[in-house]
Amino acid sequence: TCSSSASNCTSCPKETVLHGSKCLEECPDGKYNRKDGNGRGVCAPCHSMCKTCGGPTECLSCLAPKFQDKGEDGKMKCFGECFKGKYPDKERICRSCDDSCATCSSSASNCTSCPKETVLHGSKCLEECPDGKYNRKDGNGRGVCAPCHSMCKTCGGPTECLSCLAPKFQDKGEDGKMKCFGECFKGKYPDKERICRSCDDSCATCSSSAS
């Protein structure tokens, strides 16, 4: 139907949809096809955050910088950021991180934090840190593999060596923590594990055993 002029449409054939005073094959971005009381299509506005939509509250795509994710009603909506445990893909759709990650970015397996029973090493969540790293807790109590001192093979912190890289030897430092040294102090000898042990009280110095 039309009014005032032949091209001023007021309703459209059922295979098209009314947008303003024109009959189109589909609604433009920012509008969706709402059926009137006669079952004829009329372009109605999407929610202000939607680029395209399937209804007044269902976003099919989002206007930047918003991201698309499922809302509490099960319909897709637009949000300022993806929920925890999700990341935005190139289409700005929020996707679930890999089960091994607590949070991720750019891809499902690129972890940025880990569940509390695992530790982050690079972009992977591991059961424990590899040699040369220790489990440092971040502000949220989540583990991140951080570098040991350069002389440590394994460590319990940045200055506490649990084992040493050859040819270093392990002994207690002035702060009471185990560290790595170029040789054992006077009155001590290195055992087979390269740990400095005290000589027998009868010896001033010793080698290979306490006595």
Side-chain angles (χ1 to χ4, degrees):
T1 59
C2 61
S3 67
S4 71
S5 73
S7 59
N8 188 48
C9 302
T10 55
S11 67
C12 300
K14 289 195 174 181
E15 66 274 10
T16 58
V17 61
L18 182 67
H19 180 242
S21 61
K22 301 291 182 185
C23 291
L24 308 177
E25 289 185 1
E26 59 183 25
C27 294
D29 285 357
K31 306 276 186 175
Y32 72 98
N33 185 345
R34 185 186 69 207
K35 300 299 181 181
D36 65 15
N38 297 313
R40 296 185 183 277
V42 178
C43 290
C46 298
H47 187 280
S48 59
M49 286 196 283
C50 302
K51 182 180 180 182
T52 58
C53 67
T57 60
E58 183 179 13
C59 298
L60 301 179
S61 62
C62 300
L63 291 167
K66 303 299 181 183
F67 302 96
Q68 186 187 20
D69 203 354
K70 193 173 286 187
E72 291 182 359
D73 61 359
K75 293 180 179 179
M76 299 302 286
K77 302 189 185 298
C78 297
F79 300 92
E81 59 183 13
C82 292
F83 297 123
K84 187 176 179 181
K86 294 192 173 186
Y87 72 98
D89 68 11
K90 292 179 180 178
E91 270 66 59
R92 309 186 69 81
I93 299 171
C94 297
R95 306 290 187 187
S96 295
C97 297
D98 187 85
D99 288 342
S100 67
C101 306
T103 59
C104 64
S105 68
S106 71
S107 73
S109 59
N110 188 48
C111 303
T112 53
S113 69
C114 300
K116 291 196 174 181
E117 65 274 10
T118 58
V119 60
L120 183 67
H121 180 242
S123 62
K124 301 292 183 188
C125 293
L126 308 177
E127 290 186 1
E128 59 182 26
C129 294
D131 285 357
K133 306 274 185 175
Y134 72 97
N135 185 346
R136 184 187 69 207
K137 300 299 182 183
D138 66 13
N140 296 313
R142 297 186 183 278
V144 179
C145 290
C148 299
H149 187 279
S150 59
M151 286 195 281
C152 302
K153 182 180 180 182
T154 59
C155 66
T159 60
E160 183 181 11
C161 297
L162 301 179
S163 63
C164 301
L165 291 166
K168 304 298 180 182
F169 301 96
Q170 186 187 20
D171 202 355
K172 193 173 286 187
E174 291 181 357
D175 61 359
K177 294 180 179 179
M178 298 303 285
K179 304 192 184 293
C180 296
F181 300 94
E183 59 183 15
C184 291
F185 298 124
K186 186 177 179 181
K188 293 192 173 186
Y189 72 98
D191 68 11
K192 292 179 181 179
E193 310 301 322
R194 309 186 69 81
I195 299 171
C196 295
R197 306 293 186 185
S198 295
C199 296
D200 188 85
D201 290 342
S202 64
C203 305
T205 61
C206 61
S207 65
S208 71
S209 71
S211 57

Short mmCIF file of all heavy atoms in Angstrom, two decimals, residues 135-196:
data_model
loop_
_atom_site.label_atom_id
_atom_site.label_comp_id
_atom_site.label_asym_id
_atom_site.label_seq_id
_atom_site.Cartn_x
_atom_site.Cartn_y
_atom_site.Cartn_z
N ASN A 135 57.63 -20.95 41.16
CA ASN A 135 56.22 -20.58 41.18
C ASN A 135 56.03 -19.31 42.02
O ASN A 135 56.05 -19.36 43.25
CB ASN A 135 55.40 -21.74 41.74
CG ASN A 135 53.91 -21.49 41.69
OD1 ASN A 135 53.45 -20.38 41.48
ND2 ASN A 135 53.13 -22.55 41.89
N ARG A 136 55.88 -18.18 41.33
CA ARG A 136 55.65 -16.90 42.02
C ARG A 136 54.16 -16.58 41.98
O ARG A 136 53.54 -16.65 40.92
CB ARG A 136 56.43 -15.78 41.34
CG ARG A 136 56.33 -14.43 42.06
CD ARG A 136 56.98 -13.34 41.25
NE ARG A 136 56.19 -13.06 40.05
CZ ARG A 136 56.70 -12.57 38.91
NH1 ARG A 136 57.98 -12.34 38.79
NH2 ARG A 136 55.91 -12.35 37.88
N LYS A 137 53.56 -16.25 43.11
CA LYS A 137 52.13 -15.93 43.16
C LYS A 137 51.91 -14.48 42.74
O LYS A 137 52.61 -13.57 43.19
CB LYS A 137 51.57 -16.15 44.56
CG LYS A 137 51.71 -17.59 45.07
CD LYS A 137 50.96 -18.58 44.20
CE LYS A 137 51.06 -20.00 44.75
NZ LYS A 137 50.40 -20.99 43.87
N ASP A 138 50.90 -14.26 41.87
CA ASP A 138 50.55 -12.90 41.49
C ASP A 138 49.59 -12.29 42.52
O ASP A 138 49.31 -12.89 43.56
CB ASP A 138 49.97 -12.85 40.07
CG ASP A 138 48.62 -13.56 39.94
OD1 ASP A 138 48.00 -13.88 40.98
OD2 ASP A 138 48.18 -13.78 38.80
N GLY A 139 49.08 -11.10 42.25
CA GLY A 139 48.21 -10.42 43.19
C GLY A 139 46.91 -11.14 43.48
O GLY A 139 46.26 -10.88 44.50
N ASN A 140 46.52 -12.08 42.60
CA ASN A 140 45.30 -12.86 42.79
C ASN A 140 45.58 -14.25 43.36
O ASN A 140 44.68 -15.08 43.42
CB ASN A 140 44.55 -12.99 41.46
CG ASN A 140 44.08 -11.64 40.95
OD1 ASN A 140 43.53 -10.85 41.69
ND2 ASN A 140 44.32 -11.37 39.66
N GLY A 141 46.84 -14.49 43.75
CA GLY A 141 47.20 -15.79 44.31
C GLY A 141 47.37 -16.87 43.27
O GLY A 141 47.43 -18.06 43.61
N ARG A 142 47.49 -16.48 41.99
CA ARG A 142 47.69 -17.47 40.92
C ARG A 142 49.17 -17.56 40.57
O ARG A 142 49.90 -16.57 40.60
CB ARG A 142 46.86 -17.10 39.69
CG ARG A 142 45.37 -17.13 39.98
CD ARG A 142 44.54 -16.90 38.73
NE ARG A 142 43.12 -16.84 39.02
CZ ARG A 142 42.33 -17.89 39.18
NH1 ARG A 142 42.82 -19.11 39.06
NH2 ARG A 142 41.04 -17.75 39.45
N GLY A 143 49.62 -18.79 40.24
CA GLY A 143 51.04 -19.04 40.00
C GLY A 143 51.52 -18.61 38.62
O GLY A 143 50.85 -18.82 37.62
N VAL A 144 52.71 -18.02 38.61
CA VAL A 144 53.39 -17.63 37.37
C VAL A 144 54.84 -18.08 37.48
O VAL A 144 55.50 -17.84 38.50
CB VAL A 144 53.35 -16.09 37.16
CG1 VAL A 144 54.09 -15.71 35.89
CG2 VAL A 144 51.92 -15.58 37.12
N CYS A 145 55.36 -18.76 36.46
CA CYS A 145 56.76 -19.20 36.48
C CYS A 145 57.67 -17.99 36.27
O CYS A 145 57.60 -17.33 35.24
CB CYS A 145 57.02 -20.24 35.39
SG CYS A 145 56.23 -21.83 35.71
N ALA A 146 58.51 -17.72 37.26
CA ALA A 146 59.44 -16.59 37.21
C ALA A 146 60.87 -17.13 37.26
O ALA A 146 61.11 -18.21 37.81
CB ALA A 146 59.17 -15.65 38.38
N PRO A 147 61.84 -16.38 36.71
CA PRO A 147 63.20 -16.92 36.62
C PRO A 147 63.92 -17.02 37.95
O PRO A 147 63.82 -16.14 38.81
CB PRO A 147 63.91 -15.93 35.69
CG PRO A 147 63.12 -14.68 35.77
CD PRO A 147 61.70 -15.09 36.02
N CYS A 148 64.64 -18.13 38.13
CA CYS A 148 65.56 -18.29 39.26
C CYS A 148 66.79 -17.41 39.03
O CYS A 148 67.00 -16.87 37.94
CB CYS A 148 66.03 -19.74 39.34
SG CYS A 148 64.75 -20.97 39.60
N HIS A 149 67.62 -17.32 40.08
CA HIS A 149 68.94 -16.69 39.91
C HIS A 149 69.70 -17.48 38.84
O HIS A 149 69.54 -18.69 38.71
CB HIS A 149 69.69 -16.70 41.24
CG HIS A 149 70.97 -15.94 41.21
ND1 HIS A 149 72.13 -16.47 40.70
CD2 HIS A 149 71.27 -14.68 41.66
CE1 HIS A 149 73.10 -15.57 40.81
NE2 HIS A 149 72.60 -14.49 41.39
N SER A 150 70.56 -16.81 38.11
CA SER A 150 71.24 -17.44 36.97
C SER A 150 72.10 -18.65 37.35
O SER A 150 72.39 -19.50 36.51
CB SER A 150 72.11 -16.41 36.23
OG SER A 150 73.08 -15.85 37.12
N MET A 151 72.53 -18.75 38.63
CA MET A 151 73.35 -19.89 39.04
C MET A 151 72.54 -21.09 39.52
O MET A 151 73.08 -22.16 39.73
CB MET A 151 74.33 -19.46 40.13
CG MET A 151 75.48 -18.61 39.59
SD MET A 151 76.86 -18.45 40.75
CE MET A 151 76.25 -17.20 41.86
N CYS A 152 71.22 -20.90 39.71
CA CYS A 152 70.37 -22.00 40.20
C CYS A 152 69.91 -22.91 39.06
O CYS A 152 69.53 -22.43 37.99
CB CYS A 152 69.12 -21.45 40.88
SG CYS A 152 69.40 -20.35 42.28
N LYS A 153 69.89 -24.19 39.31
CA LYS A 153 69.23 -25.13 38.40
C LYS A 153 67.74 -25.18 38.72
O LYS A 153 66.89 -25.09 37.84
CB LYS A 153 69.85 -26.52 38.52
CG LYS A 153 69.23 -27.54 37.57
CD LYS A 153 69.88 -28.91 37.74
CE LYS A 153 69.25 -29.92 36.78
NZ LYS A 153 69.84 -31.27 36.97
N THR A 154 67.41 -25.32 40.01
CA THR A 154 66.02 -25.21 40.49
C THR A 154 66.05 -24.28 41.71
O THR A 154 67.09 -24.11 42.35
CB THR A 154 65.44 -26.58 40.89
OG1 THR A 154 66.27 -27.16 41.91
CG2 THR A 154 65.38 -27.51 39.68
N CYS A 155 64.90 -23.67 42.01
CA CYS A 155 64.88 -22.71 43.11
C CYS A 155 63.50 -22.64 43.74
O CYS A 155 62.50 -23.03 43.13
CB CYS A 155 65.33 -21.33 42.65
SG CYS A 155 64.23 -20.51 41.46
N GLY A 156 63.47 -22.11 44.98
CA GLY A 156 62.20 -21.90 45.67
C GLY A 156 61.82 -20.45 45.71
O GLY A 156 60.83 -20.07 46.33
N GLY A 157 62.61 -19.60 45.07
CA GLY A 157 62.38 -18.16 45.02
C GLY A 157 63.52 -17.51 44.27
O GLY A 157 64.47 -18.19 43.85
N PRO A 158 63.49 -16.20 44.09
CA PRO A 158 64.49 -15.54 43.25
C PRO A 158 65.91 -15.62 43.80
O PRO A 158 66.88 -15.50 43.05
CB PRO A 158 64.01 -14.08 43.21
CG PRO A 158 63.14 -13.92 44.42
CD PRO A 158 62.49 -15.24 44.62
N THR A 159 66.06 -15.84 45.11
CA THR A 159 67.40 -15.90 45.71
C THR A 159 67.64 -17.19 46.49
O THR A 159 68.60 -17.29 47.24
CB THR A 159 67.62 -14.69 46.65
OG1 THR A 159 66.63 -14.73 47.69
CG2 THR A 159 67.50 -13.38 45.90
N GLU A 160 66.77 -18.19 46.34
CA GLU A 160 66.92 -19.45 47.08
C GLU A 160 67.08 -20.61 46.12
O GLU A 160 66.13 -21.02 45.45
CB GLU A 160 65.70 -19.69 47.98
CG GLU A 160 65.83 -20.96 48.82
CD GLU A 160 64.63 -21.21 49.71
OE1 GLU A 160 63.59 -20.52 49.53
OE2 GLU A 160 64.70 -22.09 50.56
N CYS A 161 68.29 -21.15 46.04
CA CYS A 161 68.58 -22.24 45.11
C CYS A 161 68.31 -23.59 45.76
O CYS A 161 68.83 -23.88 46.86
CB CYS A 161 70.04 -22.19 44.65
SG CYS A 161 70.46 -20.68 43.74
N LEU A 162 67.54 -24.43 45.12
CA LEU A 162 67.30 -25.79 45.59
C LEU A 162 68.32 -26.76 45.01
O LEU A 162 68.58 -27.81 45.58
CB LEU A 162 65.87 -26.23 45.22
CG LEU A 162 64.75 -25.35 45.79
CD1 LEU A 162 63.39 -25.88 45.32
CD2 LEU A 162 64.80 -25.29 47.31
N SER A 163 68.88 -26.43 43.86
CA SER A 163 69.99 -27.18 43.25
C SER A 163 70.74 -26.21 42.35
O SER A 163 70.22 -25.17 41.96
CB SER A 163 69.50 -28.40 42.47
OG SER A 163 68.67 -28.01 41.39
N CYS A 164 71.99 -26.56 42.04
CA CYS A 164 72.87 -25.65 41.31
C CYS A 164 73.28 -26.20 39.96
O CYS A 164 73.38 -27.41 39.76
CB CYS A 164 74.13 -25.37 42.13
SG CYS A 164 73.79 -24.63 43.75
N LEU A 165 73.55 -25.29 39.05
CA LEU A 165 74.11 -25.65 37.77
C LEU A 165 75.60 -25.91 37.94
O LEU A 165 76.32 -25.11 38.57
CB LEU A 165 73.90 -24.51 36.75
CG LEU A 165 72.46 -24.26 36.31
CD1 LEU A 165 72.35 -22.93 35.59
CD2 LEU A 165 71.98 -25.39 35.40
N ALA A 166 76.11 -27.04 37.40
CA ALA A 166 77.55 -27.33 37.46
C ALA A 166 78.29 -26.19 36.73
O ALA A 166 77.79 -25.67 35.73
CB ALA A 166 77.83 -28.67 36.81
N PRO A 167 79.44 -25.76 37.24
CA PRO A 167 80.22 -26.37 38.34
C PRO A 167 80.00 -25.73 39.70
O PRO A 167 80.89 -25.75 40.55
CB PRO A 167 81.64 -26.13 37.86
CG PRO A 167 81.57 -24.77 37.20
CD PRO A 167 80.21 -24.71 36.55
N LYS A 168 78.83 -25.13 39.94
CA LYS A 168 78.56 -24.47 41.21
C LYS A 168 78.19 -25.48 42.30
O LYS A 168 77.81 -26.61 42.02
CB LYS A 168 77.44 -23.44 41.04
CG LYS A 168 77.71 -22.39 39.97
CD LYS A 168 78.93 -21.54 40.29
CE LYS A 168 79.18 -20.49 39.21
NZ LYS A 168 80.39 -19.70 39.48
N PHE A 169 78.32 -25.01 43.56
CA PHE A 169 78.03 -25.84 44.73
C PHE A 169 76.98 -25.14 45.60
O PHE A 169 76.98 -23.91 45.71
CB PHE A 169 79.30 -26.10 45.54
CG PHE A 169 80.38 -26.79 44.75
CD1 PHE A 169 81.38 -26.04 44.15
CD2 PHE A 169 80.38 -28.16 44.60
CE1 PHE A 169 82.38 -26.66 43.41
CE2 PHE A 169 81.37 -28.79 43.86
CZ PHE A 169 82.38 -28.04 43.26
N GLN A 170 76.15 -25.94 46.24
CA GLN A 170 75.05 -25.40 47.04
C GLN A 170 75.44 -25.30 48.51
O GLN A 170 75.96 -26.25 49.09
CB GLN A 170 73.81 -26.28 46.89
CG GLN A 170 72.56 -25.72 47.57
CD GLN A 170 71.41 -26.71 47.54
OE1 GLN A 170 71.62 -27.90 47.35
NE2 GLN A 170 70.19 -26.22 47.71
N ASP A 171 75.19 -24.11 49.08
CA ASP A 171 75.46 -23.92 50.50
C ASP A 171 74.56 -22.80 51.02
O ASP A 171 73.97 -22.05 50.25
CB ASP A 171 76.93 -23.57 50.75
CG ASP A 171 77.37 -23.88 52.17
OD1 ASP A 171 76.52 -24.28 53.00
OD2 ASP A 171 78.58 -23.75 52.44
N LYS A 172 74.48 -22.69 52.34
CA LYS A 172 73.62 -21.68 52.96
C LYS A 172 74.32 -20.32 52.89
O LYS A 172 75.51 -20.19 53.23
CB LYS A 172 73.33 -22.06 54.40
CG LYS A 172 72.22 -21.27 55.06
CD LYS A 172 71.88 -21.82 56.43
CE LYS A 172 71.11 -23.12 56.34
NZ LYS A 172 70.64 -23.59 57.67
N GLY A 173 73.58 -19.30 52.46
CA GLY A 173 74.13 -17.95 52.39
C GLY A 173 73.95 -17.21 53.70
O GLY A 173 73.42 -17.74 54.69
N GLU A 174 74.38 -15.95 53.72
CA GLU A 174 74.32 -15.14 54.94
C GLU A 174 72.87 -14.90 55.39
O GLU A 174 72.62 -14.66 56.57
CB GLU A 174 75.02 -13.80 54.71
CG GLU A 174 76.55 -13.94 54.56
CD GLU A 174 77.22 -12.60 54.36
OE1 GLU A 174 76.50 -11.57 54.30
OE2 GLU A 174 78.46 -12.56 54.28
N ASP A 175 71.93 -14.95 54.45
CA ASP A 175 70.53 -14.73 54.80
C ASP A 175 69.83 -16.01 55.24
O ASP A 175 68.62 -16.01 55.50
CB ASP A 175 69.77 -14.10 53.63
CG ASP A 175 69.76 -14.99 52.37
OD1 ASP A 175 70.37 -16.08 52.41
OD2 ASP A 175 69.17 -14.57 51.35
N GLY A 176 70.62 -17.11 55.33
CA GLY A 176 70.05 -18.39 55.78
C GLY A 176 69.42 -19.20 54.66
O GLY A 176 68.98 -20.33 54.89
N LYS A 177 69.37 -18.65 53.44
CA LYS A 177 68.79 -19.37 52.30
C LYS A 177 69.88 -20.08 51.52
O LYS A 177 71.03 -19.62 51.46
CB LYS A 177 68.03 -18.40 51.39
CG LYS A 177 66.79 -17.79 52.05
CD LYS A 177 66.08 -16.84 51.09
CE LYS A 177 64.83 -16.26 51.73
NZ LYS A 177 64.13 -15.31 50.82
N MET A 178 69.53 -21.20 50.89
CA MET A 178 70.48 -21.96 50.10
C MET A 178 70.79 -21.21 48.81
O MET A 178 69.90 -20.73 48.12
CB MET A 178 69.93 -23.35 49.79
CG MET A 178 69.68 -24.20 51.04
SD MET A 178 71.14 -24.45 52.08
CE MET A 178 72.06 -25.64 51.09
N LYS A 179 72.11 -21.13 48.50
CA LYS A 179 72.56 -20.43 47.31
C LYS A 179 73.63 -21.25 46.60
O LYS A 179 74.00 -22.34 47.07
CB LYS A 179 73.10 -19.05 47.69
CG LYS A 179 72.10 -18.19 48.47
CD LYS A 179 72.53 -16.77 48.58
CE LYS A 179 71.56 -15.97 49.44
NZ LYS A 179 70.23 -15.82 48.84
N CYS A 180 74.12 -20.75 45.48
CA CYS A 180 75.15 -21.46 44.71
C CYS A 180 76.45 -20.65 44.71
O CYS A 180 76.44 -19.43 44.51
CB CYS A 180 74.67 -21.68 43.28
SG CYS A 180 73.21 -22.75 43.18
N PHE A 181 77.55 -21.36 44.95
CA PHE A 181 78.86 -20.72 45.04
C PHE A 181 79.85 -21.46 44.15
O PHE A 181 79.65 -22.61 43.77
CB PHE A 181 79.36 -20.75 46.49
CG PHE A 181 78.45 -20.03 47.45
CD1 PHE A 181 77.46 -20.73 48.15
CD2 PHE A 181 78.57 -18.67 47.66
CE1 PHE A 181 76.62 -20.08 49.03
CE2 PHE A 181 77.72 -18.01 48.55
CZ PHE A 181 76.75 -18.71 49.23
N GLY A 182 80.96 -20.76 43.87
CA GLY A 182 82.01 -21.35 43.03
C GLY A 182 82.75 -22.47 43.71
O GLY A 182 83.30 -23.36 43.06
N GLU A 183 82.78 -22.47 45.05
CA GLU A 183 83.42 -23.53 45.83
C GLU A 183 82.81 -23.55 47.22
O GLU A 183 82.13 -22.60 47.64
CB GLU A 183 84.93 -23.31 45.92
CG GLU A 183 85.31 -22.00 46.55
CD GLU A 183 86.81 -21.76 46.57
OE1 GLU A 183 87.55 -22.48 45.85
OE2 GLU A 183 87.24 -20.86 47.30
N CYS A 184 83.02 -24.64 47.94
CA CYS A 184 82.54 -24.72 49.32
C CYS A 184 83.44 -23.88 50.23
O CYS A 184 84.63 -23.73 49.98
CB CYS A 184 82.55 -26.17 49.79
SG CYS A 184 81.31 -27.21 48.95
N PHE A 185 82.85 -23.34 51.28
CA PHE A 185 83.62 -22.55 52.24
C PHE A 185 84.60 -23.45 53.01
O PHE A 185 84.44 -24.68 53.08
CB PHE A 185 82.68 -21.85 53.23
CG PHE A 185 81.75 -20.86 52.56
CD1 PHE A 185 80.38 -20.98 52.72
CD2 PHE A 185 82.24 -19.82 51.79
CE1 PHE A 185 79.51 -20.08 52.12
CE2 PHE A 185 81.38 -18.91 51.19
CZ PHE A 185 80.01 -19.04 51.35
N LYS A 186 85.60 -22.81 53.61
CA LYS A 186 86.58 -23.54 54.41
C LYS A 186 85.88 -24.33 55.50
O LYS A 186 84.96 -23.83 56.15
CB LYS A 186 87.57 -22.55 55.03
CG LYS A 186 88.73 -23.22 55.76
CD LYS A 186 89.72 -22.19 56.28
CE LYS A 186 90.86 -22.85 57.03
NZ LYS A 186 91.82 -21.85 57.56
N GLY A 187 86.29 -25.57 55.69
CA GLY A 187 85.67 -26.45 56.69
C GLY A 187 84.50 -27.23 56.15
O GLY A 187 83.78 -27.88 56.90
N LYS A 188 84.33 -27.18 54.83
CA LYS A 188 83.24 -27.93 54.19
C LYS A 188 83.76 -28.64 52.94
O LYS A 188 84.82 -28.31 52.41
CB LYS A 188 82.08 -26.99 53.82
CG LYS A 188 81.37 -26.39 55.02
CD LYS A 188 80.07 -25.70 54.62
CE LYS A 188 79.29 -25.26 55.85
NZ LYS A 188 77.96 -24.72 55.49
N TYR A 189 82.98 -29.62 52.47
CA TYR A 189 83.33 -30.38 51.27
C TYR A 189 82.06 -30.63 50.44
O TYR A 189 80.95 -30.66 51.01
CB TYR A 189 83.98 -31.72 51.63
CG TYR A 189 83.00 -32.71 52.20
CD1 TYR A 189 82.43 -33.70 51.38
CD2 TYR A 189 82.60 -32.66 53.54
CE1 TYR A 189 81.49 -34.60 51.90
CE2 TYR A 189 81.66 -33.55 54.05
CZ TYR A 189 81.12 -34.51 53.23
OH TYR A 189 80.19 -35.39 53.73
N PRO A 190 82.16 -30.80 49.13
CA PRO A 190 80.96 -31.06 48.30
C PRO A 190 80.65 -32.56 48.24
O PRO A 190 81.53 -33.38 48.00
CB PRO A 190 81.37 -30.53 46.93
CG PRO A 190 82.85 -30.70 46.88
CD PRO A 190 83.35 -30.54 48.30
N ASP A 191 79.40 -32.92 48.48
CA ASP A 191 79.01 -34.32 48.31
C ASP A 191 78.68 -34.61 46.84
O ASP A 191 78.88 -33.75 45.97
CB ASP A 191 77.85 -34.69 49.24
CG ASP A 191 76.54 -33.99 48.89
OD1 ASP A 191 76.44 -33.37 47.80
OD2 ASP A 191 75.59 -34.09 49.69
N LYS A 192 78.17 -35.82 46.57
CA LYS A 192 77.91 -36.20 45.18
C LYS A 192 76.81 -35.36 44.53
O LYS A 192 76.73 -35.27 43.30
CB LYS A 192 77.53 -37.69 45.12
CG LYS A 192 78.68 -38.61 45.46
CD LYS A 192 78.26 -40.07 45.43
CE LYS A 192 79.41 -41.00 45.80
NZ LYS A 192 78.99 -42.42 45.79
N GLU A 193 75.95 -34.74 45.34
CA GLU A 193 74.86 -33.88 44.81
C GLU A 193 75.31 -32.43 44.70
O GLU A 193 74.50 -31.55 44.48
CB GLU A 193 73.63 -33.97 45.74
CG GLU A 193 73.17 -35.38 46.08
CD GLU A 193 72.82 -36.18 44.86
OE1 GLU A 193 72.26 -35.60 43.93
OE2 GLU A 193 73.11 -37.39 44.84
N ARG A 194 76.63 -32.18 44.95
CA ARG A 194 77.21 -30.83 44.87
C ARG A 194 76.67 -29.93 45.99
O ARG A 194 76.58 -28.71 45.83
CB ARG A 194 77.00 -30.20 43.49
CG ARG A 194 77.43 -31.08 42.33
CD ARG A 194 77.35 -30.36 41.00
NE ARG A 194 78.36 -29.30 40.91
CZ ARG A 194 79.63 -29.50 40.59
NH1 ARG A 194 80.08 -30.73 40.33
NH2 ARG A 194 80.48 -28.50 40.53
N ILE A 195 76.31 -30.56 47.12
CA ILE A 195 75.88 -29.81 48.30
C ILE A 195 77.05 -29.76 49.28
O ILE A 195 77.69 -30.79 49.55
CB ILE A 195 74.66 -30.48 48.96
CG1 ILE A 195 73.48 -30.50 47.99
CG2 ILE A 195 74.26 -29.72 50.24
CD1 ILE A 195 72.30 -31.33 48.46
N CYS A 196 77.35 -28.58 49.81
CA CYS A 196 78.47 -28.42 50.73
C CYS A 196 78.09 -28.96 52.12
O CYS A 196 77.06 -28.54 52.69
CB CYS A 196 78.88 -26.96 50.83
SG CYS A 196 79.54 -26.30 49.27
#
